[in-house]
Amino acid sequence: MIRNDTLPLATVEKRLLWLASWMIHNANHLRPKEEGDVKVGGHQASCASAVSILTALYFHALRPQDRVAVKPHAAPVFHAAQYLMGRLPLQKIMDFRAFGGAQAYPSRTKDVDDVDFSTGSVGLGVAITCFSSIMQDYVAAHGWGNDGTGRMVALVGDAELDEGNVYECLQEGWKHDLRNVWWVIDYNRQSLDGVVHEGLWQRIESVFEAFGWRVVRVKHGALQRAAFEEPGGAALMDWIETCPNALYSALLYQGGAAWRTQLLADLGGDAETVSLIARRSDAELATLMANLGGHCLETLCDTFDKVRDDRPTVFLAYTVKGWGTPLAGHKDNHAGLMTPQQIESLRGELGVPEGEEWDPLAAVEDAASFTDFLKRVPFFDEVQRRRSAPHVPGAAPIKLSERTISTQAAFGRILDEIARQGGALADRIVTMSPDVTVSTNLGAWVNRRGLFARDARADTFRDRSLPSMQKWAFSPQGQHIELGIAEMNLFLALGAAGLAHSHFGERLIPIGTVYDPFIARGLDALNYACYQDARFIIAGTPSGITLAPEGGAHQSIGTSLIGMAQDGLASFEPAFADELAAIVAWSFDYLQRGGEHDPGEKSWLRDETGGSVYLRLSTRPLEQPVWRDNPAFTRGVIEGAYWLRRPGPNAEVVIAYQGVIAPEAVSAAAMIGEARRDVGVLAITSADRLNAGWTAAQRARMRGSPSGASLADRLMADVPRDCTILTVTDAHPATLAWLGSVRGHRTIALGVEHFGQSASIGDLYRHHGIDAASIVKAASALVDGQPISERI
């Protein structure tokens, strides 16, 4: 007997199947194209395999406080659901995969409909739901938020389970007593290149069970289960259980007659099973065999309704790729598109009249009753599910007294002082690190603020009076989340925490630390977090070959370029503590600026919209200048550069440096000054922001907008036209090599281009040509004029 509440759901299911299929068909076959345009695509078969699951979730099981990550290839179904509910304008789906239209994959920043988690890089949208649940627990444990506990739900493509980050996140979730997470696996057993391996479901189930998840197999729909109760049904069930995935898919594509031939060939010796088959027409037999659990609304709703506790649960929902369409089951259907003839066949099956393709209620028999049902769908009760949070007041730059200190140590001291002072800002900071908390100087912060866990856990060493520098007590009030040594998890956790204001209406100030070379190890998740416009600070430390004894595996080269290229991330590399203090104070405000979409055409900068911040720090102690905190200095630090020594009118050489290489640059300038006048030294604190300001000013001028000169323009205006700029950094030389292009100065770019090795700082600097003597020699060899004495 069919549940009455699934009758309107069946109408929703048909509407979503049609609208998603037509959206893709329109984009590929009907919308005008420019010369040279490539195939638009859209994954009609993947949409079809997920349509029943998304119907049961959004229109039955979910509540407004639940948050959902929709598998990338099901984006058209998601957009269709939003359109059906009046949450997405028609033009957006007509422009699917076109400029300004609904996005190819759900996007928090590019779509205007209600996307909770962006997806696209497979596996990441799945895993972030776990960390979002942990952040929901964190917010609740600190006494914030009153929207109720929601489930973090992921619709998972079965091929996403090939991604290693999924299993890293499962282990981290187990450590943190994960709860309130649902993963619904769209187990259609087909991927981009073919059919998945036999028996994969057993491996999937065993992995989840090992980490304490409830595993619910949703394999057979109501029609199949009823057939299994008939005489001969047990043999049919056994056949289905043992049928190879490839054969099952092929028969789904071939249809009822093929099913009959195969079943009779394999089961013809069982009279009762033969009779069961004979009682059904080819069409009925095809419907029966396609009635897997992931396409049976009654089964899906019953299954979801039975899970009422907070234990993490994975639903293995068996589906058909291309279900309900002419593409069903074919191994090539992943990137396949229905032909015009096939879309017309689908139109006929779903009863959509010509001219009403975009009508939300096309082919709905009782439109009034159906509309009333939609108005009562719980998930869509709230018009605005995206929250906001008040701005947390920042603090003045923390002034340090140390005469010699590294930027890593200064960062730890600044956080320690913020923790000591207390207040709203300190209370909203949450730190995290992948097993490098102490070695990245977060220890003092953790000692003051504690580690987070839902249940208190004592510090055994302290309780037994054993001496230790670390106070490792866990409590619901703790403010540090200790992670295992998996950088993907770090960036996913930062991304989840950096969306707390939008998901839970509570502002967190997430700060993460990681060894700088391993930025690259978590880069996909970092990019993913920035794409979602999550807000956080990440300190990459130690960095460069300056981490000399550790060897090439721990010495970063290209991270400065990553910082420059990564959208949504403002990158800094200060040399001195006063620079760092100004940057950190500015960052607390920058993280909270209100834009969630692209920067405006007027500026093309993110200063109005805000974003995340990357600090590239070092363990090398430097002698500190007299503390500087005047507005001009602070402005230069934040915009990217300031003159440490302004060049004179006769300058032949300007040295521009970034980061910990400052002493070498200053020393080289002094030596060059023995033979040349007016040598300038430019301190660059952010090649990223300095370059971004310059390119933004160029863009404004190209678009006819009057614009003031960028900081780079103004700085280079002070440099005589025939002067040579010599750039140096403990990173790839391309980081600063562009500087001469601002005003057409000849530029010599020094930096690190090859892997380092274990050695002293001096040996490595000399080997890579970034020590003071190498800087001087570069200037002497390439700058016209009196040679510099060989004594240096």
Side-chain angles (χ1 to χ4, degrees), residues 397 572 578-579 581-583 585-586 627-642 685:
F572 293 88
D578 53 2
E579 298 170 349
I583 293 165
W586 172 86
W627 194 270
R628 301 159 292 179
D629 58 4
N630 62 80
F633 166 76
T634 300
R635 185 168 56 253
V637 168
I638 299 306
E639 291 187 21
Y642 63 92
T685 54

Side-chain angles (χ1 to χ4, degrees), residues 739-780:
L739 197 57
S741 300
V742 176
R743 289 273 179 156
H745 292 94
R746 179 169 58 175
T747 301
I748 305 165
L750 304 180
V752 180
E753 297 180 84
H754 302 291
F755 291 120
Q757 58 183 294
S758 295
S760 68
I761 292 177
D763 284 342
L764 286 176
Y765 279 14
R766 283 187 289 273
H767 177 72
H768 290 274
I770 57 174
D771 62 307
S774 296
I775 297 170
V776 173
K777 287 179 181 178
S780 180

Side-chain angles (χ1 to χ4, degrees), residues 28 155 286 668:
N28 285 274
L155 171 62

Side-chain angles (χ1 to χ4, degrees), residues 351-369:
V352 178
E354 285 198 37
E356 298 181 20
E357 293 84 0
W358 298 110
D359 187 344
L361 303 180
V364 176
E365 293 182 2
D366 186 348
S369 175

Side-chain angles (χ1 to χ4, degrees), residues 158 162 187-191 194-204 243-246 318:
D158 51 10
D162 289 339
Y187 193 52
N188 60 41
R189 301 171 306 289
Q190 289 181 249
S191 62
V195 180
V196 303
H197 290 295
E198 301 299 329
L200 179 62
W201 63 272
Q202 295 168 311
R203 304 295 181 268
I204 293 172
C243 181
N245 291 330
Y318 282 70

Side-chain angles (χ1 to χ4, degrees), residues 268-285:
D270 187 320
E272 290 183 331
T273 305
V274 170
S275 178
L276 183 155
I277 296 168
R279 287 194 296 273
R280 289 163 171 84
S281 67
D282 284 352
E284 290 170 334
L285 186 59

